[in-house]
Structure formats: structure tokens, C-alpha cells
């Protein structure tokens, strides 16, 4: 029984490693900290079309 549990655990670890290995080389590092969720969302949603420099460099007043 213990052996079965260990085998299942090892299998799940292997699957997790395979999934992690799928990340593309150029993937931006995941953000950490209190704004991590928003930062990751922007990174995923917005960086698919243009770099985030475009977002960071945008300067406008409230109306803009
Ligand atoms: C479907 C593609 C696409 C996605 C997704 C996208 N953008 Fe853009 N974005 C563009 C294009 C194209 C331009 C250039 C528009 C232009 O120059 O008129 C642009 C320009 C911008 C600009 C500059 C606008 C300006 O007035 O200078 C900002 C800021 C920006 N995007 C922010 C974002 C943010 C924030 C997100 C995510 C919520 C996002 N974009 C997602 C295509 C996209």
C-alpha cells in the first residue's frame, strides 16, 4: 500500500515537472508581492501584443 502511494506521488511529481518544463524560454518571470496577481494579469493579457514598456511608458493626465 505504501509503495502504491509512493508510486502515485512520484508520478504526480513527474507530471508537475513536465508541465513546468513547458514554459517558453522567453517567459517573463512571475511577479511576487502584494501586486502579484494584477502584475501577472497585465503581463499575460497585455504582453501578448506589445511589450510592457508600452504600458509603462504611457504618460497621460486624467482625461488622457
Ligand atoms: C490585441 C492586441 C493588444 C492587447 C491584448 C493589448 N494591447 Fe495595448 N496596444 C495594442 C496596439 C496595436 C497598440 C498601438 C495602438 C496605437 O499606437 O494606436 C497598443 C497600445 C497601447 C498603449 C499605448 C497607447 C497610447 O495612447 O500611447 C498602452 C498604454 C497599452 N496598449 C496598454 C495595454 C494594456 C494595459 C493592455 C492589457 C490590459 C493591452 N494594452 C493589451 C494592442 C494590444
Amino acid at each position: 500500500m505504501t509503495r502504491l502511494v509512493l508510486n502515485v506521488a512520484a508520478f504526480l511529481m513527474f507530471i508537475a515537472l513536465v508541465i513546468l518544463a513547458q514554459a517558453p524560454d522567453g517567459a517573463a518571470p512571475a511577479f511576487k508581492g502584494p501586486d502579484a496577481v494584477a502584475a501577472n494579469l497585465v503581463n499575460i493579457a497585455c504582453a501578448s501584443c506589445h511589450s510592457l514598456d508600452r504600458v509603462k511608458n504611457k504618460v497621460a493626465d486624467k482625461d488622457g
Side-chain angles (χ1 to χ4, degrees), residues 42 45-50 54-55 58:
V42 169
C46 313
S48 56
C49 288
H50 46 68
R54 186 109 212 196
V55 180
K58 171 72 178 172

